[in-house]
Amino acid sequence: SYMFGGQFYNDHFVYDPGLAVQFTLNYKVSKSFEAGLGTGYISLMNENFIPIYIEAFGYKKNKKTPPIIRFQLGGAVAWFNTANYPSDYSMDGGIFFSAGMGRKIPLKKRYSILFQWSITHITARVNYQIFGASDFTSLANYDMFQLSFGVIRN
């Protein structure tokens, strides 16, 4: 999936798009509701995240191309992926949340294609030193719109 968005930091917004891959293992609770666990990899321009989450996935069963809603909540491991930051900068992960909606298009009895857009929020702590002596921590919020395409096993 492609992520449009960026980082909110001290009342400023920095555009920071990227790519994401996710894998979720769901258990069918009813005909139109699934719940499960998942993980993934998100690579933005300067940061990487590995989210680990629980997922709730709902859809209308009796439609040919059912609309879906999906919620994910968990935590994320985070780190910088560039040499643009000094060596005394580090990043710790935080909360991961995503809420989205889309369409599930059946291919055959066993598989469907998923088209979805979602809003994703990730928090992280940026740790750094000033003049090599004073340690500081700042909270960074990443808010993104995510466009996803995937394959679902029915």
Side-chain angles (χ1 to χ4, degrees), residues 59-108:
Y59 49 91
K60 282 198 102 70
K61 186 68 176 167
N62 297 334
K63 292 204 167 223
K64 183 174 173 114
T65 59
I68 62 101
I69 57 170
R70 183 155 111 178
F71 296 97
Q72 299 171 332
L73 178 64
V77 177
W79 69 94
F80 291 115
N81 66 1
T82 180
N84 292 338
Y85 290 91
S87 62
D88 57 357
Y89 271 58
S90 66
M91 179 184 276
D92 296 327
I95 296 170
F96 171 82
F97 172 76
S98 182
M101 59 193 288
R103 288 274 177 193
K104 182 178 169 184
I105 302 168
L107 285 177
K108 294 186 177 183

Side-chain angles (χ1 to χ4, degrees), residues 1-2 18 53 55 65 72 77 90 106 113 119 124 133 142 145-146:
S1 41
Y2 188 77
Y53 53 85
E55 177 177 277
T65 59
Q72 299 171 332
V77 177
S90 66
I113 293 175
I119 296 171
Y142 295 85
F145 290 106
Q146 182 174 358

Side-chain angles (χ1 to χ4, degrees), residues 8-13:
F8 284 96
Y9 182 77
N10 291 341
D11 299 327
H12 292 57
F13 178 76

